[in-house]
Amino acid sequence: MAESVKMSDAQIEYLNLIAEVMSIRKRGEEPLAYIRTYGCQQNVADSERIKGMLHTAGYSFTEDPEQADFILFNTCAVREHAEDRVFGNVGALKNLKRRHPQILIALCGCMMEQEHVAKRIRESFPFVGLVFGTHCMHEFPELLYKSLVDGSRIFMRGNDDKLVHEGIPAYRDGRFKGWLPIMYGCDNFCTYCIVPYVRGRERSRDPEIIIAEAKEMIEKGYKDITLLGQNVNSYGKGLEPRPTFAQLIGEIDRIEGDYWLRFMTSHPKDCTRELIDTIADSKHISLHLHLPFQSGSDRVLKAMNRHYDREKYLDIVNYAKSRIPDVSLTSDVIVGFPGETYEDFQETLSLIREVGFTSLFTFIFSPRTGTPAASMDDPVSDEEKGRWFRELLAVQEEIATERCASMVGRVERVLVEEKAKREGRLCGRTSGNIIVEFDGDESLIGDFRDVKITKARNWILAGELMK
Ligand code: SAM
Ligand code: SF4
Ligand code: F3S
């Protein structure tokens, strides 16, 4: 059972001590931190909590590592490419540390939970002073303080205590779009995936704490709130009484206000009709379902340990389409899983055509040390996988273009997010998470506006603001 614990007084006291140390040690007017986040929204949400602790300890934030007193990379281990980028970017800090020895360089997040990574950092990156994994975030104040005053290198990881740590302040990056974690970890052990090893067992936050946090965000003016978990559909495991995810999101939907609610990620094996009904009947839940299918071949899905087949996936998708006529479906898909044949891959293409996704996150299989798939026979060459991958992108582009073109002429409610690249243009998103560009004044950023869709360019829409 996942038990919730408050951040300890001792950790809060460390934040005060850090403030004292840094009032003397800061390089400029005020202590500055540079935080760089890799990976998924879970990491973004973790970084917001780390920033919350740093802010309490008196730090401000900078986009320029050259100015910083404290540099932290929050890392991702999901694919080799993600890890390579981190190693490359950490290597580039060596000179900075040589020029400003008082800077503290730290690494945290999913990569740091892997022993072979910690070993490589220890041996090849001596200028990194602090390393901590995903399970040690609540001890960050103590670790930072000890690194600052002691100066010796600290490595902490692998403390999967199955607790949910509450009361860590969040310093959110967005003013109107925000992340709200509802659970941590993953119990699914898909054979290709490193996440269960680096994030530990699934634990759900108390529904009352989540609802209070959602209320607070809505009161502060957040317009687009995304509930986060690796498999939100299994929310509640270990809680007594056990709420379903549909019940949780239904409760949040009852909070008064003008906002959209999103959630990710849904696992098809646990995605229920109850959830689809809740979306269909809700006031605030966006008409968007991100439902990763990974492969269209039953043989590959079995080897991936996904616990659903193509038929079950299509069944839930068809139910969603019938209950939510405008539903926008998005997904993750892996190309080149070990043992996948061109025929299996064709099944993936046919599923993509059958569903008609708005957009896809597409990945080529990347072997992860310690996962079962990393030691499976993988006879297909990288070049061949690359060809399949390009074929998939071409098919998806065709589908997305068609889907976007079908929206021309409609009026869509859009949350205005930022200035577009072209002068005088703004960029926003529909409830289905589709990007729309239109002329408008930047004072509209953060507001909902109605936009008439006039044109579709691949998967981006162009439109005109309605009066
Ligand atoms: N929990 C979510 C789910 O099950 O859909 C997604 C988590 S994972 C952080 C995001 C995506 O990365 C996965 O859906 C999968 O498509 C992709 N992925 C994970 N491990 C991978 C690997 N070893 N190689 C390639 N893609 C991978
Ligand atoms: Fe990884 Fe599967 Fe868990 Fe998603 S559900 S995080 S893909 S193990
Ligand atoms: Fe990466 Fe960790 Fe997310 S491995 S994708 S940052 S859970």
Side-chain angles (χ1 to χ4, degrees), residues 399-409 453 455-458 461:
I399 294 166
T401 306
E402 229 171 81
R403 189 181 147 81
C404 282
S406 74
M407 294 176 74
V408 172
I453 308 302
K455 234 198 280 178
R457 272 187 291 121
N458 297 340
L461 301 171

Side-chain angles (χ1 to χ4, degrees), residues 186 188-190 192-193 195-196 230 267 294 306:
C186 180
N188 293 305
F189 290 95
C190 303
Y192 50 82
C193 186
V195 172
Q230 292 300 345
H267 194 307
Q294 313 294 2
R306 289 289 288 180

